Amino acid sequence: MKNIALLTSGGDAPGMNAAIRAIVLSAHHYNYNLIGYYHGYNGLINRECKSLKLADVNGIIGRGGTILKSARCNAMHSEQGVNQAILTLENDKIDALIVIGGDGSFKGAIKLAKHWQGQVIGIPGTIDNDICETDYTIGFSTAVNTAIEAIDKIRDTADAFERVFLVEVMGRRSGHITFNVGIATAAEQILSFENFDCTDQAARLNDLSNDIKVVQQNRHAGYLIVIAENLWPEGNTNLAAQITNKTGIDCTPCILGHIQRGGAPVAKDRILATKLGIAAVQAITEDKTGIMIGESNGAVVTVLLQHATQKTKEVSQRLIKAQHDILSVSNQG
Amino acid sequence: MKNIALLTSGGDAPGMNAAIRAIVLSAHHYNYNLIGYYHGYNGLINRECKSLKLADVNGIIGRGGTILKSARCNAMHSEQGVNQAILTLENDKIDALIVIGGDGSFKGAIKLAKHWQGQVIGIPGTIDNDICETDYTIGFSTAVNTAIEAIDKIRDTADAFERVFLVEVMGRRSGHITFNVGIATAAEQILSFENFDCTDQAARLNDLSNDIKVVQQNRHAGYLIVIAENLWPEGNTNLAAQITNKTGIDCTPCILGHIQRGGAPVAKDRILATKLGIAAVQAITEDKTGIMIGESNGAVVTVLLQHATQKTKEVSQRLIKAQHDILSVSNQG
Amino acid sequence: MKNIALLTSGGDAPGMNAAIRAIVLSAHHYNYNLIGYYHGYNGLINRECKSLKLADVNGIIGRGGTILKSARCNAMHSEQGVNQAILTLENDKIDALIVIGGDGSFKGAIKLAKHWQGQVIGIPGTIDNDICETDYTIGFSTAVNTAIEAIDKIRDTADAFERVFLVEVMGRRSGHITFNVGIATAAEQILSFENFDCTDQAARLNDLSNDIKVVQQNRHAGYLIVIAENLWPEGNTNLAAQITNKTGIDCTPCILGHIQRGGAPVAKDRILATKLGIAAVQAITEDKTGIMIGESNGAVVTVLLQHATQKTKEVSQRLIKAQHDILSVSNQG
Amino acid sequence: MKNIALLTSGGDAPGMNAAIRAIVLSAHHYNYNLIGYYHGYNGLINRECKSLKLADVNGIIGRGGTILKSARCNAMHSEQGVNQAILTLENDKIDALIVIGGDGSFKGAIKLAKHWQGQVIGIPGTIDNDICETDYTIGFSTAVNTAIEAIDKIRDTADAFERVFLVEVMGRRSGHITFNVGIATAAEQILSFENFDCTDQAARLNDLSNDIKVVQQNRHAGYLIVIAENLWPEGNTNLAAQITNKTGIDCTPCILGHIQRGGAPVAKDRILATKLGIAAVQAITEDKTGIMIGESNGAVVTVLLQHATQKTKEVSQRLIKAQHDILSVSNQG
């Protein structure tokens, strides 16, 4: 019998609750104790926790957010904070810790693993899908669907007014959401780190404005740009204003923002979270540590946390090229 | 047999297509010709139009936007523009004009009615619900539902992080959307023109910040503020920054924006639009003119366009008082 | 200070939780005790209950179902059952009872009121909208929207296959859902108690089959029939088979069923439930009894429970006539 | 320059339109002519077709159904029908035919390929996901999400009444939808061909009824069974009646039916369809024939149509085992 600790950390992602549920069911199946710590690593540092039972996860598979709350935790950047967290793990006689979160959360887990003897297991939970060695992260599919439903609505107005809309989606510094959303909404332009180098802003603005003017000339439809957050140095509201100014065609900025983090998870995220949660507890039974549980080609994989955090997963070149070569011809129609 | 002209004008609203469909069906029923003009009043001024047949409205009852396109039309503010529009109506031998739009669109209709002999009928189509003498405008119910679905998602993150979110909804200068959305999402604060006087900004910021600090002290939940666009003089992103600064609790701004204008209309808007569209053509058979077709207490009403545009419909005092007196006690829980 | 009892009874309806929340907030505002009884009247008979506090209603405004559970209760049809319920109310020193439910639930409330001294207040909560003296019942708007979203999906297949679909919606023995859904989905036929007399089934089948054959002759679209449950004596699956047989065109039956009872309530139901919940507690402060709280023409109304249950609210003749006279011309397109 | 023919065949699936769009864009990119035939193979046999241009696919990426219509085609089971189809392909000087559909549609394509010299390319479009050599078929992800949204609603009533619901999902004779939906909705039971052998019906009914009785004994929640269509020999409505009878607990049948085939496709289906559509035209440039374009492990694959139709893709054993071993413990909570 083991004592397992569980926490959710960093930006919340739809499906985190489904993962928590799967872990509670699995822990019960293997007759393990399970303690949930609140507010990410803060819950370890401040010892805020509760024992997690079957009844606690009844009905949560379809709920956004996380019943364990989440937080960024600056204290984990100091040695003192890490030691405090370890002290709690030792006092509570924890044998294994499961962390559901993204890149930053995994780096915290690696720090703990250095000085603590227990097992450390990561589960990739972030809407950004920027963790390598796993095909998908929990929350990504829901975020993409939330964004396309929003943009399908914006398309109605764009077409009614034959106007330009600049829609910003999340993704931190990677374009997984941007490209998937852009292709799924038949966006006239997709702008992300992977295909839009902002070093020469004036040139970029020129290219973009010229394309808009040419495309909109003989056309009776809206022109949608899906753009990554953090891409344009002065912010996307500024870019929209400059486009309006340069083209003489109204360009309205829409920042989709936090609606992309919440909501009932789509099936894909519920099932992925369930599979990863089960596999994480399975890994604990096998005394594994220092690993992330991911899914690749439909199979569960275990990857060293070090590898998972070494670099960011890249957007498929095939998607980028498809947009550039073929899908963009729709602008001629 | 009459020739009817139809246009949609101003901000698009879900349900405009349902109204167009009902008008096409009714016109066919009464054996009238129906011509749709594109891009609001611009379509009259530039004579962009097409004959509308049954086949054109197949399948559009559930589509957002407007198949006739929409636009604001500055030309209608000049005498020359109005005359040009009248010329088109005369050349096309139009007997009656139906305008689907909001306050500004009706003012254009009134101008036309002054110098043109044909019948002029308005149908209230705007998400803002700020037209008086009708209980609802086409699009309002859908906009409110789109906003609550978005805010239900934001609530997930607000609760996970126990953080403050400031969510801006549309409504131009009236609080119908704000209050309905705020109450339906159990917002901790609802801020609109009707209950939040920004003359003394410093005082308002103080009140708000104090409330947030007191409420969040012992509480494990998010704090949602639903706020009207155009309310805070420096913009709501500015207000969020000031709240963060003053309370020391992160306040994230979310501008819901144009998602509120599009999307498949809810049943209420489809049915309202259908009823008003039928009644508009009925009014033409009865040689009425200079009127808006509205719905009040479940019955179709006809109102002089002059009256409908004289003042803005006010938000129900009962809603405002309920929020102030009773619903706000939830913040204590 | 008063002790208030609360229960939800009969078929569950989206918005019941919003009403419970409003009652909890209002009771707290007036400093009343509030006890929730589970499983409808069974909770009174078996004394299953719990005290309801602010924390219990956190986050429930947007949830379908009812946290107090619901049930039909046969025991209330016997004198013994009624007496047992009254005994509980007396033992628990209840001053007022609020019942959220439909027609059958109100009849139970009337029985209690005959022999019990406390106040009895009803709130109309049923998706069927068949309670008179209130414009809407809690749950109706959500059920209609759920049905139209489902039928919009069925329309895709109907059009792709140019086939007939017979879609059954709920409503017990009244056609509010049927007509609202039928009009909002541009159904080719709407069949309900109000416009389709099944006494002569052979004649009805003939009419229907002939219309289908004529309409489908030159047309490249689906043919959707929205039909009320309990209308066709042998059931709607049987009717679909007979139509297929008689027309030679495939007619597929779809029973929408219980999806119409659940799900997150739309804004309209959340707000209606909130207003009625507040007004119910307000009525208790005013020592009212034997009444239902409804909403008519936008204002709260109080009606004798006797009146509210005397007859069923009828479907607007205007809707029925609009469908018959005008909307049905779309079948020619 | 080549002439390409395109048709959609068999049960319609959300995403078929997205595939059509991608094919139109790609054909335009490679300067190919593209002709769409209507109503599946019937369009070849009866020569119903139209040239497909960029303007035809504007705005269809998010629409359910298929703009080319679909149908089952009995004529393709006869030699005469096949010859007639080939005659049309020859007369229209078609170089390559793309068929979007499922197993049956591919068998028709194989027949054509035997006697016709042109290229034949299949794209897997069916909600059932039962085509092997591709990880997903177009439409599957949307169908699963539609079903979970419906079941999330049914869960509300199941919990409110603590009752049993038997929910039938589609899938022809395979359990992909059943297992994915069952796991994503935390169903208490998942019954499909893979884990529920109906040879001894009495025994199965006994097992099931006993489980229900044991589980529901001390529990205050609903009990959801997700069951495959075509599984229980007398139909699932019959099974529900027998469960009610044997357990004394109400078991309500819900046949989700055709809502699973329609609706706006989720992002996954839009993107998959776009990738496969592009790859199909790419395969035509490479003079390939007799193949299906699928996606496996994130990469486009080409598979002989013979292989793709030889057997049905099986449901992952890992999912089945997870449900059996671990997830079912939730019934104890």
mmCIF file of all heavy atoms in Angstrom, chain C residues 168 170 255-259, chain D residues 154 163-169 223-225 227 234-244 249-257:
data_model
loop_
_atom_site.group_PDB
_atom_site.id
_atom_site.type_symbol
_atom_site.label_atom_id
_atom_site.label_comp_id
_atom_site.label_asym_id
_atom_site.label_seq_id
_atom_site.Cartn_x
_atom_site.Cartn_y
_atom_site.Cartn_z
ATOM 1 N N GLU C 168 -40.174 13.130 -32.793
ATOM 2 C CA GLU C 168 -41.097 13.278 -31.665
ATOM 3 C C GLU C 168 -40.477 14.113 -30.561
ATOM 4 O O GLU C 168 -39.377 13.837 -30.097
ATOM 5 C CB GLU C 168 -41.449 11.893 -31.105
ATOM 6 C CG GLU C 168 -42.321 11.981 -29.858
ATOM 7 C CD GLU C 168 -42.556 10.630 -29.215
ATOM 8 O OE1 GLU C 168 -43.139 9.749 -29.864
ATOM 9 O OE2 GLU C 168 -42.142 10.450 -28.051
ATOM 10 N N MET C 170 -41.262 16.162 -26.654
ATOM 11 C CA MET C 170 -42.076 15.986 -25.446
ATOM 12 C C MET C 170 -43.185 17.033 -25.352
ATOM 13 O O MET C 170 -43.325 17.867 -26.239
ATOM 14 C CB MET C 170 -41.178 16.028 -24.218
ATOM 15 C CG MET C 170 -40.391 14.738 -24.022
ATOM 16 S SD MET C 170 -39.428 14.800 -22.498
ATOM 17 C CE MET C 170 -39.024 13.061 -22.265
ATOM 18 N N ILE C 255 -37.060 9.689 -31.777
ATOM 19 C CA ILE C 255 -37.699 10.065 -30.517
ATOM 20 C C ILE C 255 -36.669 10.849 -29.712
ATOM 21 O O ILE C 255 -35.719 10.268 -29.179
ATOM 22 C CB ILE C 255 -38.123 8.801 -29.725
ATOM 23 C CG1 ILE C 255 -38.811 7.764 -30.625
ATOM 24 C CG2 ILE C 255 -38.960 9.186 -28.512
ATOM 25 C CD1 ILE C 255 -40.123 8.194 -31.203
ATOM 26 N N LEU C 256 -36.813 12.161 -29.621
ATOM 27 C CA LEU C 256 -35.749 12.937 -28.952
ATOM 28 C C LEU C 256 -35.614 12.566 -27.478
ATOM 29 O O LEU C 256 -34.530 12.542 -26.923
ATOM 30 C CB LEU C 256 -35.988 14.440 -29.103
ATOM 31 C CG LEU C 256 -35.817 14.972 -30.523
ATOM 32 C CD1 LEU C 256 -35.823 16.497 -30.510
ATOM 33 C CD2 LEU C 256 -34.524 14.485 -31.179
ATOM 34 N N GLY C 257 -36.737 12.309 -26.826
ATOM 35 C CA GLY C 257 -36.704 11.759 -25.478
ATOM 36 C C GLY C 257 -36.056 12.637 -24.429
ATOM 37 O O GLY C 257 -36.148 13.875 -24.476
ATOM 38 N N HIS C 258 -35.380 11.990 -23.495
ATOM 39 C CA HIS C 258 -34.988 12.649 -22.253
ATOM 40 C C HIS C 258 -33.881 13.686 -22.390
ATOM 41 O O HIS C 258 -33.604 14.395 -21.419
ATOM 42 C CB HIS C 258 -34.619 11.606 -21.207
ATOM 43 C CG HIS C 258 -35.820 11.078 -20.495
ATOM 44 N ND1 HIS C 258 -36.677 10.169 -21.067
ATOM 45 C CD2 HIS C 258 -36.350 11.368 -19.275
ATOM 46 C CE1 HIS C 258 -37.652 9.900 -20.231
ATOM 47 N NE2 HIS C 258 -37.484 10.606 -19.142
ATOM 48 N N ILE C 259 -33.231 13.792 -23.549
ATOM 49 C CA ILE C 259 -32.264 14.887 -23.670
ATOM 50 C C ILE C 259 -32.968 16.228 -23.464
ATOM 51 O O ILE C 259 -32.345 17.212 -23.092
ATOM 52 C CB ILE C 259 -31.519 14.909 -25.028
ATOM 53 C CG1 ILE C 259 -32.475 15.049 -26.217
ATOM 54 C CG2 ILE C 259 -30.684 13.658 -25.205
ATOM 55 C CD1 ILE C 259 -31.763 15.338 -27.550
ATOM 56 N N ILE D 154 -28.879 13.661 -20.275
ATOM 57 C CA ILE D 154 -29.663 12.555 -19.712
ATOM 58 C C ILE D 154 -29.190 12.239 -18.294
ATOM 59 O O ILE D 154 -29.982 11.909 -17.417
ATOM 60 C CB ILE D 154 -29.551 11.311 -20.630
ATOM 61 C CG1 ILE D 154 -30.250 11.601 -21.964
ATOM 62 C CG2 ILE D 154 -30.136 10.069 -19.968
ATOM 63 C CD1 ILE D 154 -30.014 10.544 -23.038
ATOM 64 N N ARG D 163 -32.408 6.818 -11.352
ATOM 65 C CA ARG D 163 -33.062 5.839 -12.194
ATOM 66 C C ARG D 163 -32.056 5.276 -13.214
ATOM 67 O O ARG D 163 -30.976 5.823 -13.395
ATOM 68 C CB ARG D 163 -34.180 6.562 -12.944
ATOM 69 C CG ARG D 163 -35.265 5.671 -13.466
ATOM 70 C CD ARG D 163 -36.080 6.410 -14.495
ATOM 71 N NE ARG D 163 -37.176 7.184 -13.914
ATOM 72 C CZ ARG D 163 -37.906 8.031 -14.630
ATOM 73 N NH1 ARG D 163 -37.619 8.272 -15.903
ATOM 74 N NH2 ARG D 163 -38.898 8.683 -14.067
ATOM 75 N N VAL D 164 -32.434 4.179 -13.878
ATOM 76 C CA VAL D 164 -31.579 3.567 -14.891
ATOM 77 C C VAL D 164 -31.974 4.073 -16.277
ATOM 78 O O VAL D 164 -33.158 4.143 -16.605
ATOM 79 C CB VAL D 164 -31.707 2.028 -14.842
ATOM 80 C CG1 VAL D 164 -30.770 1.376 -15.858
ATOM 81 C CG2 VAL D 164 -31.425 1.504 -13.441
ATOM 82 N N PHE D 165 -30.979 4.458 -17.078
ATOM 83 C CA PHE D 165 -31.232 4.816 -18.475
ATOM 84 C C PHE D 165 -30.390 3.928 -19.371
ATOM 85 O O PHE D 165 -29.210 3.698 -19.087
ATOM 86 C CB PHE D 165 -30.891 6.289 -18.730
ATOM 87 C CG PHE D 165 -31.985 7.225 -18.331
ATOM 88 C CD1 PHE D 165 -32.139 7.611 -17.012
ATOM 89 C CD2 PHE D 165 -32.888 7.715 -19.271
ATOM 90 C CE1 PHE D 165 -33.164 8.467 -16.634
ATOM 91 C CE2 PHE D 165 -33.913 8.580 -18.906
ATOM 92 C CZ PHE D 165 -34.057 8.957 -17.591
ATOM 93 N N LEU D 166 -31.017 3.442 -20.430
ATOM 94 C CA LEU D 166 -30.332 2.612 -21.421
ATOM 95 C C LEU D 166 -30.227 3.453 -22.693
ATOM 96 O O LEU D 166 -31.247 3.700 -23.363
ATOM 97 C CB LEU D 166 -31.152 1.344 -21.692
ATOM 98 C CG LEU D 166 -30.552 0.335 -22.672
ATOM 99 C CD1 LEU D 166 -29.413 -0.435 -22.006
ATOM 100 C CD2 LEU D 166 -31.616 -0.656 -23.154
ATOM 101 N N VAL D 167 -29.022 3.912 -23.005
ATOM 102 C CA VAL D 167 -28.858 4.843 -24.117
ATOM 103 C C VAL D 167 -28.185 4.140 -25.291
ATOM 104 O O VAL D 167 -27.049 3.674 -25.184
ATOM 105 C CB VAL D 167 -28.005 6.056 -23.690
ATOM 106 C CG1 VAL D 167 -27.972 7.076 -24.819
ATOM 107 C CG2 VAL D 167 -28.547 6.678 -22.414
ATOM 108 N N GLU D 168 -28.908 4.068 -26.405
ATOM 109 C CA GLU D 168 -28.361 3.402 -27.585
ATOM 110 C C GLU D 168 -27.623 4.386 -28.476
ATOM 111 O O GLU D 168 -28.164 5.412 -28.863
ATOM 112 C CB GLU D 168 -29.507 2.761 -28.376
ATOM 113 C CG GLU D 168 -29.033 2.124 -29.678
ATOM 114 C CD GLU D 168 -30.174 1.612 -30.535
ATOM 115 O OE1 GLU D 168 -30.919 0.730 -30.067
ATOM 116 O OE2 GLU D 168 -30.345 2.118 -31.665
ATOM 117 N N VAL D 169 -26.395 4.041 -28.827
ATOM 118 C CA VAL D 169 -25.635 4.859 -29.775
ATOM 119 C C VAL D 169 -25.432 4.077 -31.069
ATOM 120 O O VAL D 169 -25.620 2.874 -31.118
ATOM 121 C CB VAL D 169 -24.270 5.291 -29.187
ATOM 122 C CG1 VAL D 169 -24.463 6.198 -27.978
ATOM 123 C CG2 VAL D 169 -23.421 4.085 -28.827
ATOM 124 N N TYR D 223 -27.951 5.479 -13.048
ATOM 125 C CA TYR D 223 -27.147 4.352 -13.554
ATOM 126 C C TYR D 223 -27.317 4.381 -15.063
ATOM 127 O O TYR D 223 -28.412 4.118 -15.571
ATOM 128 C CB TYR D 223 -27.682 3.060 -12.945
ATOM 129 C CG TYR D 223 -26.893 1.796 -13.278
ATOM 130 C CD1 TYR D 223 -26.129 1.169 -12.299
ATOM 131 C CD2 TYR D 223 -26.933 1.216 -14.541
ATOM 132 C CE1 TYR D 223 -25.422 -0.003 -12.569
ATOM 133 C CE2 TYR D 223 -26.226 0.053 -14.826
ATOM 134 C CZ TYR D 223 -25.479 -0.548 -13.832
ATOM 135 O OH TYR D 223 -24.787 -1.705 -14.102
ATOM 136 N N LEU D 224 -26.251 4.720 -15.765
ATOM 137 C CA LEU D 224 -26.333 4.879 -17.220
ATOM 138 C C LEU D 224 -25.714 3.681 -17.924
ATOM 139 O O LEU D 224 -24.573 3.306 -17.633
ATOM 140 C CB LEU D 224 -25.556 6.116 -17.661
ATOM 141 C CG LEU D 224 -26.211 7.472 -17.527
ATOM 142 C CD1 LEU D 224 -25.348 8.522 -18.216
ATOM 143 C CD2 LEU D 224 -27.592 7.474 -18.166
ATOM 144 N N ILE D 225 -26.446 3.115 -18.829
ATOM 145 C CA ILE D 225 -25.910 2.060 -19.683
ATOM 146 C C ILE D 225 -25.783 2.627 -21.097
ATOM 147 O O ILE D 225 -26.770 3.105 -21.651
ATOM 148 C CB ILE D 225 -26.845 0.839 -19.725
ATOM 149 C CG1 ILE D 225 -27.158 0.354 -18.311
ATOM 150 C CG2 ILE D 225 -26.228 -0.280 -20.564
ATOM 151 C CD1 ILE D 225 -28.311 -0.649 -18.245
ATOM 152 N N ILE D 227 -25.193 1.510 -24.816
ATOM 153 C CA ILE D 227 -25.295 0.235 -25.529
ATOM 154 C C ILE D 227 -25.243 0.460 -27.046
ATOM 155 O O ILE D 227 -25.755 1.459 -27.557
ATOM 156 C CB ILE D 227 -26.603 -0.504 -25.129
ATOM 157 C CG1 ILE D 227 -26.621 -1.930 -25.695
ATOM 158 C CG2 ILE D 227 -27.829 0.256 -25.576
ATOM 159 C CD1 ILE D 227 -27.696 -2.819 -25.076
ATOM 160 N N GLU D 234 -33.657 -8.491 -29.629
ATOM 161 C CA GLU D 234 -35.022 -7.959 -29.751
ATOM 162 C C GLU D 234 -35.059 -6.437 -29.734
ATOM 163 O O GLU D 234 -36.144 -5.843 -29.654
ATOM 164 C CB GLU D 234 -35.915 -8.502 -28.631
ATOM 165 C CG GLU D 234 -36.428 -9.903 -28.893
ATOM 166 C CD GLU D 234 -35.336 -10.942 -28.640
ATOM 167 O OE1 GLU D 234 -34.555 -10.738 -27.691
ATOM 168 O OE2 GLU D 234 -35.235 -11.913 -29.403
ATOM 169 N N GLY D 235 -33.934 -5.808 -29.764
ATOM 170 C CA GLY D 235 -33.900 -4.344 -29.750
ATOM 171 C C GLY D 235 -33.756 -3.824 -28.334
ATOM 172 O O GLY D 235 -34.163 -4.480 -27.361
ATOM 173 N N ASN D 236 -33.209 -2.610 -28.222
ATOM 174 C CA ASN D 236 -32.859 -2.112 -26.899
ATOM 175 C C ASN D 236 -34.064 -1.615 -26.107
ATOM 176 O O ASN D 236 -34.005 -1.555 -24.882
ATOM 177 C CB ASN D 236 -31.788 -1.037 -27.045
ATOM 178 C CG ASN D 236 -30.484 -1.638 -27.524
ATOM 179 O OD1 ASN D 236 -30.143 -2.770 -27.156
ATOM 180 N ND2 ASN D 236 -29.755 -0.932 -28.377
ATOM 181 N N THR D 237 -35.139 -1.269 -26.792
ATOM 182 C CA THR D 237 -36.349 -0.905 -26.077
ATOM 183 C C THR D 237 -36.878 -2.125 -25.324
ATOM 184 O O THR D 237 -37.317 -2.038 -24.170
ATOM 185 C CB THR D 237 -37.412 -0.375 -27.068
ATOM 186 O OG1 THR D 237 -36.841 0.715 -27.799
ATOM 187 C CG2 THR D 237 -38.660 0.092 -26.340
ATOM 188 N N ASN D 238 -36.796 -3.254 -25.979
ATOM 189 C CA ASN D 238 -37.178 -4.512 -25.338
ATOM 190 C C ASN D 238 -36.278 -4.807 -24.139
ATOM 191 O O ASN D 238 -36.764 -5.199 -23.060
ATOM 192 C CB ASN D 238 -37.084 -5.639 -26.377
ATOM 193 C CG ASN D 238 -37.156 -7.019 -25.747
ATOM 194 O OD1 ASN D 238 -36.169 -7.481 -25.173
ATOM 195 N ND2 ASN D 238 -38.306 -7.674 -25.844
ATOM 196 N N LEU D 239 -34.993 -4.597 -24.300
ATOM 197 C CA LEU D 239 -34.069 -4.875 -23.193
ATOM 198 C C LEU D 239 -34.397 -3.993 -21.987
ATOM 199 O O LEU D 239 -34.407 -4.466 -20.837
ATOM 200 C CB LEU D 239 -32.618 -4.638 -23.639
ATOM 201 C CG LEU D 239 -31.547 -4.807 -22.549
ATOM 202 C CD1 LEU D 239 -31.594 -6.195 -21.918
ATOM 203 C CD2 LEU D 239 -30.152 -4.531 -23.113
ATOM 204 N N ALA D 240 -34.681 -2.714 -22.249
ATOM 205 C CA ALA D 240 -35.009 -1.796 -21.149
ATOM 206 C C ALA D 240 -36.234 -2.291 -20.381
ATOM 207 O O ALA D 240 -36.267 -2.275 -19.144
ATOM 208 C CB ALA D 240 -35.242 -0.389 -21.682
ATOM 209 N N ALA D 241 -37.224 -2.745 -21.126
ATOM 210 C CA ALA D 241 -38.454 -3.239 -20.476
ATOM 211 C C ALA D 241 -38.132 -4.455 -19.610
ATOM 212 O O ALA D 241 -38.642 -4.587 -18.487
ATOM 213 C CB ALA D 241 -39.492 -3.590 -21.540
ATOM 214 N N GLN D 242 -37.279 -5.310 -20.111
ATOM 215 C CA GLN D 242 -36.942 -6.509 -19.346
ATOM 216 C C GLN D 242 -36.138 -6.158 -18.091
ATOM 217 O O GLN D 242 -36.299 -6.795 -17.042
ATOM 218 C CB GLN D 242 -36.141 -7.480 -20.215
ATOM 219 C CG GLN D 242 -36.965 -8.068 -21.352
ATOM 220 C CD GLN D 242 -36.387 -9.397 -21.816
ATOM 221 O OE1 GLN D 242 -36.104 -10.266 -21.006
ATOM 222 N NE2 GLN D 242 -36.198 -9.526 -23.126
ATOM 223 N N ILE D 243 -35.274 -5.174 -18.199
ATOM 224 C CA ILE D 243 -34.513 -4.748 -17.015
ATOM 225 C C ILE D 243 -35.449 -4.179 -15.958
ATOM 226 O O ILE D 243 -35.359 -4.501 -14.772
ATOM 227 C CB ILE D 243 -33.440 -3.696 -17.405
ATOM 228 C CG1 ILE D 243 -32.348 -4.356 -18.241
ATOM 229 C CG2 ILE D 243 -32.841 -3.050 -16.171
ATOM 230 C CD1 ILE D 243 -31.336 -3.380 -18.822
ATOM 231 N N THR D 244 -36.368 -3.317 -16.399
ATOM 232 C CA THR D 244 -37.339 -2.751 -15.462
ATOM 233 C C THR D 244 -38.076 -3.863 -14.734
ATOM 234 O O THR D 244 -38.239 -3.853 -13.508
ATOM 235 C CB THR D 244 -38.383 -1.895 -16.226
ATOM 236 O OG1 THR D 244 -37.704 -0.880 -16.947
ATOM 237 C CG2 THR D 244 -39.381 -1.254 -15.268
ATOM 238 N N ILE D 249 -36.606 -1.545 -10.864
ATOM 239 C CA ILE D 249 -36.155 -0.150 -10.960
ATOM 240 C C ILE D 249 -36.429 0.319 -12.395
ATOM 241 O O ILE D 249 -36.087 -0.377 -13.344
ATOM 242 C CB ILE D 249 -34.635 -0.041 -10.672
ATOM 243 C CG1 ILE D 249 -34.322 -0.654 -9.304
ATOM 244 C CG2 ILE D 249 -34.169 1.401 -10.750
ATOM 245 C CD1 ILE D 249 -32.829 -0.742 -9.001
ATOM 246 N N ASP D 250 -37.043 1.476 -12.533
ATOM 247 C CA ASP D 250 -37.376 1.977 -13.865
ATOM 248 C C ASP D 250 -36.135 2.096 -14.749
ATOM 249 O O ASP D 250 -35.168 2.762 -14.378
ATOM 250 C CB ASP D 250 -38.015 3.376 -13.766
ATOM 251 C CG ASP D 250 -39.519 3.275 -13.668
ATOM 252 O OD1 ASP D 250 -40.050 2.145 -13.690
ATOM 253 O OD2 ASP D 250 -40.167 4.334 -13.547
ATOM 254 N N CYS D 251 -36.192 1.488 -15.910
ATOM 255 C CA CYS D 251 -35.116 1.623 -16.898
ATOM 256 C C CYS D 251 -35.703 2.235 -18.164
ATOM 257 O O CYS D 251 -36.542 1.633 -18.828
ATOM 258 C CB CYS D 251 -34.495 0.263 -17.190
ATOM 259 S SG CYS D 251 -33.245 0.330 -18.487
ATOM 260 N N THR D 252 -35.274 3.459 -18.479
ATOM 261 C CA THR D 252 -35.837 4.189 -19.611
ATOM 262 C C THR D 252 -34.917 4.053 -20.821
ATOM 263 O O THR D 252 -33.719 4.322 -20.715
ATOM 264 C CB THR D 252 -35.954 5.691 -19.263
ATOM 265 O OG1 THR D 252 -36.695 5.808 -18.052
ATOM 266 C CG2 THR D 252 -36.655 6.453 -20.379
ATOM 267 N N PRO D 253 -35.458 3.627 -21.972
ATOM 268 C CA PRO D 253 -34.617 3.556 -23.168
ATOM 269 C C PRO D 253 -34.537 4.911 -23.873
ATOM 270 O O PRO D 253 -35.524 5.630 -23.948
ATOM 271 C CB PRO D 253 -35.365 2.552 -24.049
ATOM 272 C CG PRO D 253 -36.808 2.733 -23.669
ATOM 273 C CD PRO D 253 -36.834 3.161 -22.221
ATOM 274 N N CYS D 254 -33.353 5.260 -24.346
ATOM 275 C CA CYS D 254 -33.168 6.474 -25.160
ATOM 276 C C CYS D 254 -32.385 6.068 -26.408
ATOM 277 O O CYS D 254 -31.236 5.632 -26.291
ATOM 278 C CB CYS D 254 -32.342 7.521 -24.416
ATOM 279 S SG CYS D 254 -33.130 8.186 -22.966
ATOM 280 N N ILE D 255 -32.987 6.209 -27.561
ATOM 281 C CA ILE D 255 -32.310 5.889 -28.816
ATOM 282 C C ILE D 255 -31.780 7.203 -29.381
ATOM 283 O O ILE D 255 -32.558 8.005 -29.887
ATOM 284 C CB ILE D 255 -33.295 5.240 -29.818
ATOM 285 C CG1 ILE D 255 -34.151 4.157 -29.156
ATOM 286 C CG2 ILE D 255 -32.547 4.725 -31.056
ATOM 287 C CD1 ILE D 255 -33.412 2.950 -28.672
ATOM 288 N N LEU D 256 -30.486 7.452 -29.290
ATOM 289 C CA LEU D 256 -29.991 8.775 -29.725
ATOM 290 C C LEU D 256 -30.224 9.008 -31.216
ATOM 291 O O LEU D 256 -30.517 10.116 -31.642
ATOM 292 C CB LEU D 256 -28.513 8.957 -29.377
ATOM 293 C CG LEU D 256 -28.214 9.051 -27.889
ATOM 294 C CD1 LEU D 256 -26.763 9.475 -27.681
ATOM 295 C CD2 LEU D 256 -29.130 10.050 -27.184
ATOM 296 N N GLY D 257 -30.070 7.965 -32.011
ATOM 297 C CA GLY D 257 -30.458 8.040 -33.416
ATOM 298 C C GLY D 257 -29.710 9.055 -34.254
ATOM 299 O O GLY D 257 -28.523 9.316 -34.027
#
